[in-house]
Amino acid sequence: MKVRDIAHSRTGDKGNISNISIIAFDPKDYERLAKALTPQIVRRHFAWVVKGEVERYELPQLGALNFVMTQALGGGVTRSLALDPHGKCLSSYLLEFELPDEQ
């Protein structure tokens, strides 16, 4: 099962920082997302683009996780040569993450 099967996402940017929110469709799936999407796992998933740290903020009342990724946008919108300098497609990439089977 992929993250997109149980959650949706929003992405934002500020300078060279990207943030991605993962929001469970059903609050009962929040714990599964929180267990699978650690900052280390997300950092590894984005190793090709994130050169800084990944911090995770938990919003259990909303069934959401927010990941703040530093040094992730090639210097920021006005400095990056990337086709997606705002990093909007990064949320789609995280939604494609394969969740481990529940134990």
Side-chain angles (χ1 to χ4, degrees), residues 6 23-33 60-64:
I6 62 172
I23 306 109
F25 293 128
D26 187 326
K28 71 178 169 91
D29 291 320
Y30 172 78
E31 287 301 321
R32 182 172 188 187
L33 292 167
Q61 303 88 343
L62 301 176

Side-chain angles (χ1 to χ4, degrees), residues 52-103:
E53 299 299 318
V54 173
E55 290 185 69
R56 181 176 88 171
Y57 295 90
E58 300 176 2
L59 299 114
Q61 303 88 343
L62 301 176
L65 300 167
N66 186 50
F67 297 93
V68 177
M69 305 183 303
T70 61
Q71 299 177 36
L73 297 174
V77 173
T78 59
R79 299 181 70 187
S80 176
L81 297 175
L83 293 176
D84 179 19
H86 292 280
K88 296 299 184 185
C89 67
L90 296 178
S91 63
S92 294
Y93 186 65
L94 189 52
L95 289 173
E96 285 297 310
F97 181 82
E98 190 73 36
L99 292 166
D101 292 332
E102 286 188 293
Q103 308 253 0

Side-chain angles (χ1 to χ4, degrees), residues 6-53:
I6 62 172
H8 62 100
S9 181
R10 297 280 299 171
T11 306
D13 68 283
K14 193 63 152 180
N16 198 19
I17 299 170
S18 177
N19 72 69
I20 301 175
S21 293
I22 297 292
I23 306 109
F25 293 128
D26 187 326
K28 71 178 169 91
D29 291 320
Y30 172 78
E31 287 301 321
R32 182 172 188 187
L33 292 167
K35 184 176 177 183
L37 297 174
T38 66
Q40 298 79 13
I41 294 290
V42 172
R43 172 71 176 85
R44 194 172 330 133
H45 188 66
F46 285 105
W48 56 277
V49 69
V50 176
K51 305 304 178 205
E53 299 299 318

